[in-house]
Amino acid sequence: DTEVTQTPKHLVMGMTNKKSLKCEQHMGHRAMYWYKQKAKKPPELMFVYSYEKLSINESVPSRFSPECPNSSLLNLHLHALQPEDSALYLCASSGGRGDSYEQYFGPGTRLTVT
Amino acid sequence: AQSVTQPDIHITVSEGASLELRCNYSYGATPYLFWYVQSPGQGLQLLLKYFSGDTLVQGIKGFEAEFKRSQSSFNLRKPSVHWSDAAEYFCAVGAGNNNDMRFGAGTRLTVKP
């Protein structure tokens, strides 16, 4: 099973709202990622968790707050977002048994900030 | 840091024709190289990967790619394109344990009937 699941599929939120995106994988992967993708652009790395610890933070604004409760779950907490934060948010995981370095992506959450 | 260049923003091919998508990378050591495909509004699907060994790698959906160290390239090929191959294609390069993977700008493939 190479599935990464993300919920919700779509999210519309106002600039004063607080919401969370959820990502889950059951492949035994030890690294999980958040990417942001604007229309017609490549994914941009936001955060990397390795063994449940934050290992990379690509200077993302503090209105985005990641959380890794356990090795299978990754959350992205959103607060006071701006309209320019509207994008597709992708979760990925990698690093299973052996030397599996490829990243597997979820279907994404389409976020619209109004 | 590693980087990837995909020189072609948009390519149009006829159904049944052959396809080659170009990818050039920059990295000081042996890179981890990937091709992903993305249909509109969807996540990314891994087509194939290169870590080491045979420089010609086979992937899913009939795609293959060839790693050429002398040209810093990892071009994607398919001998006969199907209408369902229309999508965005991303080349990516990873470093170290691949926790830091960088994508090229992408190439949009249109398939003419």
Side-chain angles (χ1 to χ4, degrees):
Chain A
D1 182 8
T2 56
E3 187 178 26
V4 177
T5 59
Q6 290 187 244
T7 54
K9 189 166 185 170
H10 300 277
L11 178 63
V12 179
M13 60 185 291
M15 289 189 285
T16 59
N17 292 157
K18 287 185 180 180
K19 296 287 184 182
S20 297
L21 309 184
K22 180 180 175 181
C23 174
E24 193 165 4
Q25 58 88 12
H26 294 287
M27 296 178 278
H29 288 173
R30 307 309 298 186
M32 296 185 76
Y33 311 77
W34 281 115
Y35 289 86
K36 174 183 178 180
Q37 186 179 26
K38 302 285 278 185
K40 301 187 187 302
K41 295 291 186 182
E44 298 176 4
L45 185 64
M46 301 175 70
F47 302 104
V48 180
Y49 273 83
S50 181
Y51 292 88
E52 302 168 44
K53 294 195 184 320
L54 185 64
S55 63
I56 295 178
N57 176 342
E58 291 288 335
S59 302
V60 178
S62 60
R63 56 186 184 268
F64 295 91
S65 175
E67 177 196 19
C68 188
N70 59 56
S71 59
S72 300
L73 284 174
L74 185 66
N75 299 320
L76 186 63
H77 303 298
L78 314 172
H79 174 55
L81 294 192
Q82 303 298 309
E84 60 266 27
D85 296 321
S86 299
L88 181 67
Y89 288 83
L90 294 163
C91 175
S93 69
S94 75
R97 294 168 181 79
D99 60 352
S100 171
Y101 295 120
E102 61 267 33
Q103 294 185 22
Y104 293 93
F105 284 79
T109 293
R110 175 72 60 188
L111 174 67
T112 303
V113 181
T114 60
Chain B
Q2 68 275 31
S3 65
V4 179
T5 302
Q6 292 181 248
D8 304 305
I9 296 173
H10 183 207
I11 283 182
T12 299
V13 298
S14 298
E15 190 168 15
S18 63
L19 171 70
E20 182 168 28
L21 302 182
R22 296 183 292 165
C23 172
N24 292 98
Y25 70 90
S26 174
Y27 184 60
T30 300
Y32 300 122
L33 294 163
F34 308 87
W35 276 99
Y36 285 88
V37 61
Q38 185 178 34
S39 296
Q42 303 296 313
L44 279 73
Q45 182 181 24
L46 179 68
L47 287 175
L48 46 76
K49 62 190 179 188
Y50 173 79
F51 294 158
S52 64
D54 193 346
T55 56
L56 184 63
V57 293
Q58 302 297 319
I60 62 171
K61 304 185 179 187
F63 286 93
E64 67 176 27
E66 187 170 14
F67 171 63
K68 292 186 177 180
R69 184 185 299 275
S70 61
Q71 298 177 20
S72 298
S73 69
F74 189 57
N75 294 348
L76 182 71
R77 300 194 293 249
K78 186 169 185 177
S80 177
V81 171
H82 189 262
W83 63 266
S84 60
D85 294 323
E88 189 84 21
Y89 290 80
F90 292 100
C91 182
V93 60
N97 59 7
N98 198 41
N99 278 358
D100 186 7
M101 186 169 72
R102 304 292 167 161
F103 287 88
T107 297
R108 182 163 60 95
L109 175 65
T110 297
V111 180
K112 293 191 304 184

